[in-house]
């Protein structure tokens, strides 16, 4: 017995001794306030391009070495001599060499590369003259990458497009634009350009935030505001053709409002046409946004001034007791301690002595993920990094604001190889950091999780686009359709982002499942019989849902919708109403006939009052201005004290590299004045946006899909009338496909062109030399763009028959109807009505 007691005593002594010994090497990690830094100022020089007599296109430097064809901010027209100059200010850097590459815009294949090491100097400005030796095709876009190499071998990249023309009358166009811009600064000189305006009684003349060619003369001339321009104005050419050009002027102004000088960012957009007799102003738009300034707070009304703006959205998170508020405004993150009336600028690229052109470059955004009870904030900064250690990089950065120490700490850095404009479309709504340090995010059709502790990156789901993911932010859940192919979709997964636990909703045998949307923190999904899924003639997939359900995240069905004989093909959620698009299917002579209508599901949607609000006031000087109201019960006795943060210097590399930065699916992007306005699965949706906003459409393979305003007044595809075809009383669509392939020089001998067990789109995808494009949903006028580019268009005249359009003039279109032995002319209005009644189903193709 005594022996056992001794053993216990010995073990205790050894344990205490070991604990004492090893504890000397267990150091408590204490944050050292000296290990912080402020963000360094911007150092990359701005570059401009000189072509002929014109200096245009202010380019920002990247440290991300991207494919040149991914950036579409500006285009430089070159003459047949193919010469241009690159101008830059050294900005304290010693530039030793300039490299350049010219690449195909589609496919990114290298055409020419060279370098310049001897620069001309004019004061602080250096320039390099570049003459391209490879003869480039006229009117075709090429991608150019310019690389400045410093004496420390650092590389700074600049990207632009070029097009070769014999003449674009660029000087005439820019002279007209700058004369217009200068003239409207003063009502007396503006009389010179008043004839170019098109005032309309329907125009909104109550705000300076948005002005256009239809606004009043007084509003175009800035009303009673007297602006002073603060920055140099370098025209940015967005699109260029022989006769027309789209040009942007971006600059900063200040003006006195109620005795206080306020600052604004202004973007003017011009679309002009040159003729030998005169210049035409086809479109004019001006956007004006106040630069957010805390010092303009209205004490009497407990409001922060937003000023002149068209942006009324204020993303925010609030504490449970409403005494803490985090919000994003003007690409800056703020934290407001209402209890102590202190406001902290948590993150901003704007310095106190602001460098307008570089600090305020707006190709990034901020997303608040969460705020805890202490006011600590997790947030994302994504896009182009204006300054600091990541200057010039494009990335997704996860930060934490540690309120008690007044600092921000970087948790994750994800570099990407694309510009902000496409990144913002590819970064999904799922970005969540849970209490266990697991960061969930969706990018490039893939859902990832990243463990901040183990630094392990995991792929949760892949090949799913944003339309197949529903993020229930209020309850921290995400749901996704397991298979993007609706013909194979059997499961919907629902994940609790806090616990990581996943539940699955499964389709019954013989059925598939489709995730549709969400409403009031519940998911909407439906079931479709496998045999009811059908490929339409244009290649689109008809998925007629026999039942639609609303369910909670624990799979409890809250509401079910089904009507005999009717099937749901799509839906839209608007507040507490679900608008259903339905189809009725009937068989007629062996074919399925579809008729369409709509229905609704009413939902008792929970609504919560917003903690902050927006109010407006009107003055003679600034017209309509907006204010952000603060939580009720808060009294702003004086203007808030403004604090700033410091960055934590970290020793651990926070870099997370994702294996693939390309989408697995094809998307269509409408570019409006150089920026992307959405990503669409259907070309027609993107074309409709571009038509309304005077833009162009590209797909994710960088192929030019459609352009507004460049269609010729009349055009006939050469040689088409001489082509041989045999009148057909059967498969007219197959006959149209045969004509289109023959025109491309593709032999149709022994090729299966029938669409009875396939679709016209997939037959073309199999045999065409070029990329087919489904255009269902655009107008005839928009479809004629393809004809003007020398590409015939297949158009459906009813559910089973088609014609091929190969020409048009002011009054008619020229078509080949396979059931007839001669060409036909059909009136524009009559044909537009015929195609519209058939669903505006068009098919054509894209050329390199």
């Amino acid at each position: 017995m005594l022996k056992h007691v001794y053993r216990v005593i010995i073990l205790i002594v050894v344990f205490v001794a070991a604990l004492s010994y090893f504890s000397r090497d267990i150091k408590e990690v204490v944050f050292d306030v000296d290990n912080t830094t402020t963000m360094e100022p911007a150092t990359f020089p701005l570059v401009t391009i000189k072509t002929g007599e014109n200096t245009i296109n202010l380019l920002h430097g990247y440290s991300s070495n991207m494919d040149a064809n991914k950036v579409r901010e500006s285009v430089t027209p070159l003459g047949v001599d193919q010469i241009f100059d690159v101008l830059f200010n050294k900005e304290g850097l010693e530039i030793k060499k300039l490299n350049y590459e010219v690449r195909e815009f589609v496919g990114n294949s290298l055409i020419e590369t060279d370098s310049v090491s001897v620069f001309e100097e004019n004061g602080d400005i250096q320039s390099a003259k570049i003459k391209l030796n490879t003869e480039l095709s006229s009117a075709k876009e090429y991608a150019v990458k310019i690389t400045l190499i410093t004496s420390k071998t650092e590389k700074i990249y600049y990207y632009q497009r070029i097009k070769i023309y014999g003449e674009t009358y660029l000087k005439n166009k820019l002279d007209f634009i700058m004369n217009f811009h200068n003239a409207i600064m003063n009502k007396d000189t503006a009389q010179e350009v008043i004839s170019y305006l098109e005032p309309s009684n329907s125009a909104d003349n109550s705000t300076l935030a948005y002005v256009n060619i239809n606004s009043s003369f007084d509003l175009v001339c800035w009303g009673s505001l007297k602006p002073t321009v603060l920055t140099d104005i370098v025209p940015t050419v967005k699109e260029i053709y022989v006769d027309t050009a789209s040009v942007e002027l971006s600059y900063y102004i200040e003006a006195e409002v109620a005795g206080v000088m306020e600052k604004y960012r202004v973007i003017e957009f011009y679309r002009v046409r040159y003729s030998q007799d005169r210049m035409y102003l086809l479109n004019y738009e001006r956007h004006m946004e106040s630069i957010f300034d805390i010092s303009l707070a209205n004490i009497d009304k407990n409001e922060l001034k937003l000023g002149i703006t068209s942006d009324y959205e204020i993303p925010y998170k609030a504490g449970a007791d409403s005494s803490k508020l985090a919000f994003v405004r003007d690409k800056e993150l703020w934290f407001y301690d209402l209890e102590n009336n202190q406001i902290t600028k948590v993150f901003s690229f704007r310095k106190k002595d602001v460098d307008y052109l570089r600090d305020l470059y707006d190709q990034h955004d901020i997303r608040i993920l969460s705020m805890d009870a202490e006011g600590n904030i997790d947030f994302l900064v994504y896009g182009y990094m204006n300054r600091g250690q990541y200057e010039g990089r494009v990335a997704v950065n996860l930060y934490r604001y540690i309120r008690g120490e007044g600092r921000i700490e970087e948790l994750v850095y994800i570099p990407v190889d694309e510009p902000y404009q496409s990144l913002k479309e590819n970064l999904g709504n799922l970005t969540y950091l849970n209490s266990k340090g697991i960061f969930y995010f969706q990018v490039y059709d893939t859902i990832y999780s990243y463990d901040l502790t183990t630094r392990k990156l995991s792929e949760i789901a892949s090949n799913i686009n944003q339309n197949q993911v529903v993020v229930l932010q209020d309850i921290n859940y995400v749901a996704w359709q397991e298979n993007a192919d609706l013909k194979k979709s059997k499961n919907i997964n629902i994940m609790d982002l806090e616990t990581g636990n996943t539940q699955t909703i499964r389709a019954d045998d013989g059925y598939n499942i489709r995730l549709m949307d969400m409403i009031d923190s519940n998911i909407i999904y439906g079931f479709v019989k496998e045999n009811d899924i059908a490929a339409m003639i244009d290649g689109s997939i008809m998925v007629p849902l026999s039942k639609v359900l609303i369910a909670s995240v624990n799979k409890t069905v809250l509401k079910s919708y089904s009507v005999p004989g009717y099937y749901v093909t799509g839906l839209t959620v608007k507040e507490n109403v679900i608008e259903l698009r339905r189809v009725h299917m009937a068989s007629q002579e062996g074919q399925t006939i579809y008729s369409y209508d709509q229905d609704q599901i009413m939902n008792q949607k929970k609504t919560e009052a917003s903690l902050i609000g927006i109010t407006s006031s009107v003055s003679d000087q600034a017209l309509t201005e907006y204010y952000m109201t603060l939580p009720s019960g808060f009294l702003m006795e004086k203007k808030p004290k403004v604090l700033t943060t410091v960055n934590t210097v970290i020793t651990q590399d926070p870099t997370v590299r994702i294996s693939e930065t390309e989408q697995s699916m094809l998307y269509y992007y409408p570019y409006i004045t150089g920026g992307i306005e959405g990503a669409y699965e259907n070309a027609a949706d993107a074309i409709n946006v571009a038509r309304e906003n005077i833009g162009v459409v590209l797909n994710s393979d960088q192929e030019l899909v459609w352009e507004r305003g460049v269609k010729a007044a009349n055009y006939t595809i050469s040689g088409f009338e001489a082509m041989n075809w045999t009148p057909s009383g059967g498969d007219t669509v197959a006959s149209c496909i045969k004509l289109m392939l023959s025109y491309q020089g593709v032999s149709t001998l022994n090729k299966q062109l029938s669409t009875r067990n396939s679709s016209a789109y997939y037959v073309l995808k199999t045999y065409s030399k070029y990329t087919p494009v489904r255009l269902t949903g655009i107008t005839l006028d928009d479809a004629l763009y393809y004809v003007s580019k020398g590409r015939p268009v297949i158009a459906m005249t009813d559910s089973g028959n088609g014609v091929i359009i190969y020409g048009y003039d002011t009054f008619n279109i020229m078509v080949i109807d396979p059931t007839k032995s001669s060409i036909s002319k059909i009136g524009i209005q009559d044909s537009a009505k015929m195609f519209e009644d058939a669903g505006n189903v068009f098919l054509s193709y894209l050329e390199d």
Side-chain angles (χ1 to χ4, degrees):
M1 181 69 182
L2 192 58
K3 183 165 61 175
H4 291 300
V5 172
Y6 287 151
R7 283 182 179 176
V8 170
I9 293 172
I10 291 170
L11 286 173
I12 292 174
V13 171
V14 170
F15 174 78
V16 172
L19 185 65
S20 174
Y21 175 83
F22 287 110
S23 65
R24 291 181 299 175
D25 288 334
I26 301 176
K27 298 183 174 68
E28 183 180 0
V29 178
V30 180
F31 175 71
D32 184 354
V33 294
D34 293 331
N35 293 333
T36 61
T37 182
T38 55
M39 191 184 297
E40 301 90 344
T43 61
F44 288 5
L46 298 170
V47 160
T48 53
I49 306 298
K50 186 176 181 182
T51 174
E53 303 176 49
N54 310 288
T55 300
I56 58 173
N57 297 347
L58 189 69
L59 307 180
H60 289 259
Y62 287 78
S63 49
S64 298
N65 185 8
M66 301 180 292
D67 289 341
N69 63 351
K70 290 185 177 181
V71 182
R72 195 182 171 83
E73 292 186 1
S74 61
V75 59
T76 297
L78 303 183
V80 292
D81 59 3
Q82 302 189 155
I83 294 175
F84 64 98
D85 295 286
V86 179
L87 284 63
F88 54 92
N89 190 315
K90 290 182 288 187
E91 298 291 347
L93 298 176
E94 185 179 357
I95 306 300
K96 302 295 290 183
K97 190 166 71 169
L98 179 151
N99 294 339
Y100 71 86
E101 296 176 356
V102 181
R103 292 181 176 270
E104 291 282 359
F105 212 83
V106 178
N108 202 43
S109 59
L110 181 65
I111 296 172
E112 179 177 324
T113 182
D114 207 341
S115 62
V116 178
S117 55
V118 178
F119 306 123
E120 295 182 13
E121 296 199 16
N122 184 5
D124 291 333
I125 302 298
Q126 289 184 299
S127 64
K129 185 175 294 293
I130 296 174
K131 177 176 173 55
L132 304 179
N133 297 312
T134 306
E135 185 175 349
L136 303 178
S137 299
S138 177
K140 180 179 177 179
E141 286 189 348
Y142 296 91
V144 173
K145 179 192 296 183
I146 298 166
T147 307
L148 298 183
I149 303 175
T150 71
S151 57
K152 297 181 180 179
T153 69
E154 297 170 327
K155 295 180 179 180
I156 309 171
Y157 305 97
Y158 301 82
Y159 304 91
Q160 65 158 345
R161 295 171 288 143
I162 59 171
K163 293 172 81 173
I164 310 298
Y165 285 105
E167 179 60 86
T168 59
Y169 308 99
L170 181 62
K171 185 177 188 307
N172 304 72
K173 296 169 183 175
L174 294 181
D175 285 348
F176 172 81
I177 289 168
M178 293 309 301
N179 178 63
F180 187 98
H181 162 81
N182 292 324
I184 61 176
M185 289 292 182
N186 182 292
K187 288 186 175 62
D188 293 331
T189 56
Q191 296 296 328
E192 304 170 8
V193 298
I194 192 172
S195 62
Y196 294 101
L197 301 177
E198 302 171 11
S200 170
N201 292 330
S202 62
D204 180 5
N205 291 311
S206 66
T207 176
L208 285 162
Y210 176 68
V211 175
N212 63 30
I213 197 170
N214 302 126
S215 300
S216 68
F217 173 74
D218 183 66
L219 203 66
V220 171
C221 299
W222 302 89
S224 299
L225 212 63
K226 300 186 184 307
T228 299
V229 178
L230 299 173
T231 53
D232 293 335
I233 299 176
V234 178
T236 298
V237 181
K238 296 295 187 179
E239 304 295 338
I240 188 75
Y241 308 95
V242 172
D243 56 344
T244 63
S246 297
V247 178
E248 180 183 282
L249 306 181
S250 179
Y251 54 95
Y252 292 85
I253 65 170
E254 64 178 359
E256 186 176 329
V257 177
V260 178
M261 297 304 292
E262 299 190 28
K263 294 180 173 59
Y264 308 87
R265 182 183 184 186
V266 180
I267 297 177
E268 292 183 85
F269 175 74
Y270 295 82
R271 187 164 175 263
V272 297
R273 172 177 286 133
Y274 168 86
S275 75
Q276 291 184 346
D277 300 326
R278 55 165 291 187
M279 292 293 302
Y280 294 88
L281 181 63
L282 303 178
N283 191 40
Y284 172 73
E285 296 182 22
R286 186 175 72 220
H287 296 267
M288 180 178 178
E289 290 285 329
S290 294
I291 295 177
F292 186 60
D293 188 346
I294 289 293
S295 69
L296 300 175
N298 188 322
I299 300 174
D300 296 333
K301 295 184 177 181
N302 297 316
E303 295 173 340
L304 301 179
K305 186 172 184 179
L306 305 179
I308 297 172
T309 183
S310 298
D311 181 9
Y312 319 122
E313 294 290 328
I314 304 177
Y316 77 94
K317 297 283 185 184
D321 60 357
S322 301
S323 66
K324 301 176 185 67
L325 184 68
F327 65 93
V328 176
R329 185 64 185 174
D330 207 11
K331 313 285 186 179
E332 298 175 327
L333 174 60
W334 296 84
F335 170 77
Y336 201 163
D337 176 2
L338 298 168
E339 203 168 43
N340 297 303
N341 197 28
Q342 292 182 343
I343 193 162
T344 302
K345 184 189 288 188
V346 176
F347 189 96
S348 172
F349 286 123
R350 177 170 37 146
K351 304 191 308 292
K352 184 176 182 180
D353 299 323
V354 62
D355 179 341
Y356 289 99
L357 297 181
R358 293 188 291 182
D359 291 3
L360 300 186
Y361 186 48
D362 65 348
Q363 297 300 293
H364 68 276
D365 211 343
I366 296 175
R367 186 182 296 182
I368 305 172
L369 304 190
S370 64
M371 181 174 70
D372 66 18
E374 302 301 319
N376 302 312
I377 305 168
D378 294 327
F379 64 98
L380 284 186
V381 180
Y382 59 98
Y384 178 90
M385 303 298 155
N386 299 24
R387 61 189 184 96
Q389 71 179 114
Y390 296 127
E391 181 180 2
R393 296 193 180 278
V394 183
V396 179
N397 286 62
L398 174 64
Y399 290 100
R400 174 167 293 156
Y401 166 57
I402 302 167
R403 181 193 168 204
E405 298 169 359
R407 64 184 178 92
I408 62 173
E409 182 177 326
E410 183 182 20
L411 304 178
V412 174
Y413 164 68
I414 306 172
V416 297
D417 293 326
E418 67 175 350
Y420 166 71
Q421 285 299 320
S422 50
L423 172 62
K424 69 182 176 66
E425 303 300 334
N426 293 324
L427 182 65
N429 293 325
L430 174 59
T431 46
Y432 182 79
L433 179 62
N434 70 16
S435 58
K436 299 177 181 178
I438 309 296
F439 176 44
Y440 294 96
F441 62 99
Q442 183 194 8
V443 66
Y444 306 117
D445 300 331
T446 301
I447 296 177
Y448 295 95
S449 69
Y450 179 71
D451 190 319
L452 299 184
T453 303
T454 64
R455 304 177 69 188
K456 180 183 178 182
L457 180 70
S458 302
E459 194 175 284
I460 304 296
S462 60
N463 297 324
I464 51 170
N465 64 35
Q466 293 184 38
N467 293 331
Q468 295 159 337
V469 179
V470 169
V471 183
L472 308 164
Q473 295 180 345
D474 293 344
I475 56 175
N476 303 327
Y477 272 78
V478 63
W480 68 90
Q481 188 176 297
E482 195 171 275
N483 196 314
D485 187 346
L486 294 169
K487 295 179 180 179
K488 301 176 181 178
S489 177
K490 296 294 183 181
N491 300 320
I492 290 174
N493 294 322
I494 307 171
M495 175 181 278
D496 182 337
L497 295 171
E498 269 302 315
T499 65
N501 295 332
T502 300
Q503 305 175 74
T504 301
I505 301 175
R506 293 181 171 85
D508 293 336
D509 289 343
Y511 283 83
N512 286 3
I513 193 169
R514 183 179 184 182
L515 180 61
M516 302 293 285
D517 208 329
M518 59 167 285
I519 189 167
D520 194 24
S521 298
N522 300 305
I523 64 170
I524 309 170
Y525 62 97
F527 293 107
V528 56
K529 289 183 179 179
E530 290 177 349
N531 294 334
D532 284 346
I533 299 175
M536 309 302 284
I537 195 73
D538 64 349
S540 60
I541 304 299
M542 168 74 76
V543 185
L545 304 175
S546 56
K547 182 184 290 186
V548 173
L549 303 99
I550 303 174
S552 66
V553 293
N554 62 11
K555 303 195 295 183
T556 301
V557 175
L558 306 175
K559 189 169 290 190
S560 176
Y561 173 92
S562 63
V563 177
Y566 286 88
Y567 303 85
V568 175
T569 58
L571 59 82
T572 304
V573 177
K574 294 182 178 180
E575 296 183 347
N576 67 327
V577 177
I578 303 173
E579 297 181 352
L580 304 173
R581 297 185 291 280
R582 304 190 309 177
V583 62
H584 181 265
M585 298 188 297
S587 180
Q588 181 176 321
E589 297 179 358
Q591 286 190 332
T592 303
I593 305 301
Y594 301 95
S595 57
Y596 302 87
D597 69 358
Q598 293 187 342
D599 201 356
Q600 292 182 337
I601 300 175
M602 302 297 293
N603 185 68
Q604 297 297 321
K605 182 176 174 66
K606 300 174 185 176
T607 56
E608 296 182 4
S610 177
L611 195 65
I612 62 175
I614 303 294
T615 62
S616 64
S617 67
V618 179
S619 66
D620 292 336
Q621 200 167 22
L623 299 182
T624 305
E625 296 181 290
Y626 290 88
Y627 294 81
M628 173 179 142
T629 62
L630 296 168
S632 60
F634 169 67
L635 182 62
M636 188 188 297
E637 296 180 348
K638 60 181 180 179
K639 292 187 178 180
K641 180 181 179 181
V642 179
L643 306 176
T644 57
T645 60
V646 291
N647 295 343
T648 308
V649 177
I650 56 175
T651 56
Q652 189 178 51
D653 183 7
T655 303
V656 176
R657 300 193 183 277
I658 50 181
S659 58
E660 186 68 40
T661 57
E662 297 289 345
Q663 308 100 317
S664 56
M665 303 176 188
L666 188 67
Y667 292 98
Y668 297 89
Y669 302 112
Y671 281 79
I672 312 301
T673 66
I676 295 178
E677 296 294 332
Y680 299 89
E681 294 180 64
N682 296 313
D685 295 331
I687 289 172
N688 291 333
V689 172
R691 182 185 63 249
E692 293 300 317
N693 296 280
I694 313 177
V696 303
V697 177
L698 273 75
N699 63 22
S700 46
D701 289 334
Q702 305 304 321
E703 294 174 301
L704 181 61
V705 176
W706 189 86
E707 302 166 278
R708 159 93 186 253
V710 299
K711 177 171 69 71
N714 53 77
Y715 192 88
T716 301
I717 298 176
S718 176
F720 219 91
E721 294 179 355
M723 293 181 66
N724 294 319
W725 76 93
T726 302
S728 169
D731 194 341
T732 60
V733 178
S735 298
C736 289
I737 293 171
K738 183 176 181 179
L739 279 168
M740 182 176 280
L741 293 175
S742 297
Y743 174 71
Q744 294 178 5
V746 176
S747 172
T748 58
L749 189 65
N750 299 323
K751 288 186 170 59
Q752 177 55 256
L753 305 181
S754 174
T755 59
R756 298 194 186 282
N757 297 311
S758 183
S759 69
Y761 177 82
Y762 285 106
V763 172
L764 286 172
K765 191 173 182 180
T766 302
Y767 299 119
S768 175
K769 287 172 60 176
Y770 305 107
T771 305
V773 58
R774 179 189 308 119
L775 300 167
T776 299
I778 69 173
T779 64
L780 170 62
D781 186 61
D782 291 339
L784 292 179
Y785 161 83
Y786 287 85
V787 179
S788 75
K789 294 296 181 181
R791 304 170 215 158
V793 173
I794 297 174
M796 299 301 294
T797 56
D798 57 37
S799 61
N801 294 291
V803 297
I804 193 159
I805 307 172
Y806 71 92
Y808 64 92
D809 58 27
T810 306
F811 305 106
N812 302 287
I813 63 170
M814 279 71 90
V815 305
I816 291 177
D817 183 341
T819 64
K820 300 177 181 179
S821 59
S822 61
I823 64 169
S824 302
K825 280 190 176 183
I826 311 176
I828 288 283
Q829 293 184 351
D830 291 340
S831 57
K833 177 68 165 56
M834 175 178 66
F835 296 138
E836 184 179 353
D837 290 344
N840 276 336
V841 180
F842 301 106
L843 285 164
S844 189
Y845 55 89
L846 311 176
E847 290 182 332
D848 295 342

